[in-house]
Amino acid sequence: MTNQWLLFVMFTAMSILAGCSDHEAEQPWVAYHHQLTEDLSSPPLERTEVSNIGAFPERQERLIEVAETRDGILNIYALRECHITSLIAARNNQLGRVAPPSQHWLYERELWQRLAACQESDVPDRLSERDKERLEQLTALKTAQLPAVSWNAIFDSDEWVKSFSRASQPLAMSDFPAIAQQLAAVDYLQQMVDSQFSQAWQQDSSQLENHLKHLQERPLTAEILRTLLLAEQRLQDASEHLTQHDPHHEACLTAWDTEALNLLEANAQQWLLAINRLINSQSVALPEAVRVYQTQWLSLDNAQAPWQQYQQAKTHHLSLREMHSVCLSD
């Protein structure tokens, strides 16, 4: 079998799979549009192509620069009573240097906890003036850096970035996936951000990684946004078709079951609220590219973002339906 033939087979298979996925998301709209044309005794309505979501900001655009902290071994050893030497050694070994952003976040938070606790203990009383000043400077530096480290840990993680992947498909509203585990994952990240300067709240590495694993299972943010885009466009298509028919015509409209649409709406709102809360609660100045992306795609208030565009399309369509009489069951 030639390489060209193999490429043709692979491309065809991928196209078929993509078509199946599209069909699942489109099927409720195909059925609804068909019902409209049946009620109105009209030709099939025109269906407009649905655009994709925007690209997530590139890595250099979404991260905040955090200067690397360097100091001599003897200087660190002088602060050994703060119990930071073994922690720093683990961070500087081969495994520590290639650790994922989530583990770097845990390290930086634990380092801050130990330094802050040491600063408030009687250890500084036993230090030389030079070492005491070094402890104060290091604690202040890590305190200032921690919010940026927290931000970078989230926005540099593969799990977070993949949630916004444009290589995704709209969700099938009739079989909307459960999102409880993904919501719990975002909630845990929220707890870490809210508690980053708490000595009482104890982080858990395995729990964090488990939550990140759930985020990685599917590009949920992108899927929800694309489903909203699809719903908005299909509502607009249906509305355009209705405007071409006199509401005083003798034809009536079959009652419309919006249960699947209501489920999409409830889940989308819950997810976008959680994502926006996590972004807005960070005590850093948002990188401009992230701020623009959030406004254009994630906002619940921006009239041009998918959520409000969907709401407007739904309200308009329902108002057009109300102009028509409803078919009564026999």
Side-chain angles (χ1 to χ4, degrees):
M1 186 177 289
T2 65
N3 289 338
Q4 290 84 352
W5 177 250
L6 281 173
L7 287 172
F8 172 76
V9 172
M10 290 173 62
F11 177 79
T12 303
M14 290 171 63
S15 299
I16 292 173
L17 288 174
C20 291
S21 179
D22 284 345
H23 176 72
E24 289 182 357
E26 289 276 16
Q27 194 275 332
W29 296 111
V30 171
Y32 177 57
H33 289 174
H34 178 72
Q35 184 63 62
L36 280 180
T37 58
E38 286 284 309
D39 291 343
L40 299 169
S41 301
S42 62
L45 58 79
E46 295 185 12
R47 298 160 63 77
T48 308
E49 184 177 352
V50 183
S51 60
N52 199 350
I53 60 173
F56 198 56
E58 294 292 334
R59 185 174 186 271
Q60 66 272 18
E61 296 178 317
R62 65 178 185 266
L63 300 188
I64 300 171
E65 185 176 356
V66 178
E68 186 175 3
T69 306
R70 294 180 176 274
D71 207 341
I73 295 177
L74 293 179
N75 292 335
I76 297 300
Y77 183 73
L79 303 179
R80 61 190 177 279
E81 288 190 73
C82 295
H83 308 292
I84 62 173
T85 50
S86 59
L87 187 63
I88 293 174
R91 174 71 177 93
N92 287 328
N93 67 25
Q94 187 173 4
L95 290 178
R97 289 185 175 277
V98 297
S102 57
Q103 293 301 310
H104 184 207
W105 188 9
L106 296 180
Y107 159 78
E108 288 288 340
R109 182 173 183 271
E110 186 172 355
L111 178 59
W112 172 84
Q113 282 182 310
R114 295 188 186 187
L115 286 170
C118 187
Q119 184 72 45
E120 298 300 321
S121 70
D122 59 357
V123 169
D125 296 335
R126 299 192 292 274
L127 296 176
S128 67
E129 287 301 317
R130 183 180 177 183
D131 290 334
K132 185 187 298 185
E133 182 179 355
R134 181 174 291 110
L135 173 59
E136 291 175 352
Q137 292 175 344
L138 187 57
T139 304
L141 175 62
K142 289 303 175 182
T143 301
Q145 288 182 340
L146 189 55
V149 170
S150 300
W151 172 272
N152 288 349
I154 296 173
F155 275 80
D156 197 26
S157 67
D158 289 340
E159 297 85 355
W160 185 258
V161 174
K162 287 178 181 178
S163 185
F164 300 85
S165 172
R166 300 180 81 235
S168 57
Q169 295 293 337
L171 296 165
M173 294 192 301
S174 56
D175 188 25
F176 203 93
I179 64 171
Q181 289 183 324
Q182 284 84 359
L183 283 169
V186 175
D187 183 64
Y188 189 80
L189 294 178
Q190 186 72 59
Q191 288 183 58
M192 285 196 63
V193 171
D194 293 342
S195 306
Q196 60 185 328
F197 290 116
S198 169
Q199 291 286 5
W201 193 81
Q202 297 300 312
Q203 59 202 26
D204 187 316
S205 177
S206 61
Q207 194 172 2
L208 173 60
E209 295 305 323
N210 189 51
H211 282 305
L212 290 174
K213 179 182 176 182
H214 289 311
L215 282 182
Q216 197 170 28
E217 289 174 356
R218 61 185 316 133
L220 187 59
T221 307
E223 289 176 328
I224 287 177
L225 291 175
R226 295 202 66 182
T227 309
L228 287 172
L229 291 178
L230 175 64
E232 174 214 338
Q233 188 58 64
R234 294 299 170 250
L235 286 167
Q236 287 186 5
D237 293 341
S239 295
E240 179 63 27
H241 194 73
L242 280 180
T243 58
Q244 299 171 12
H245 294 81
D246 185 354
H248 300 296
H249 189 272
E250 61 183 18
C252 59
L253 298 183
T254 302
W256 183 28
D257 182 4
T258 60
E259 182 178 353
L261 204 60
N262 295 338
L263 180 62
L264 160 65
E265 196 169 315
N267 280 287
Q269 184 177 40
Q270 190 176 17
W271 183 253
L272 290 175
L273 280 170
I275 295 295
N276 279 289
R277 183 171 63 249
L278 180 59
I279 294 175
N280 295 335
S281 65
Q282 308 266 347
S283 54
V284 296
L286 268 61
E288 180 62 14
V290 175
R291 187 196 64 77
V292 170
Y293 186 93
Q294 181 186 19
T295 300
Q296 292 181 342
W297 297 104
L298 306 177
S299 173
L300 290 161
D301 303 316
N302 179 18
Q304 303 306 314
W307 174 258
Q308 283 294 336
Q309 289 283 292
Y310 158 76
Q311 292 291 339
Q312 294 168 28
K314 180 183 176 184
T315 299
H316 178 56
H317 185 66
L318 290 176
S319 68
L320 291 175
R321 282 189 60 94
E322 289 175 358
M323 297 179 185
H324 295 258
S325 60
V326 179
C327 301
L328 301 178
S329 302
D330 295 334

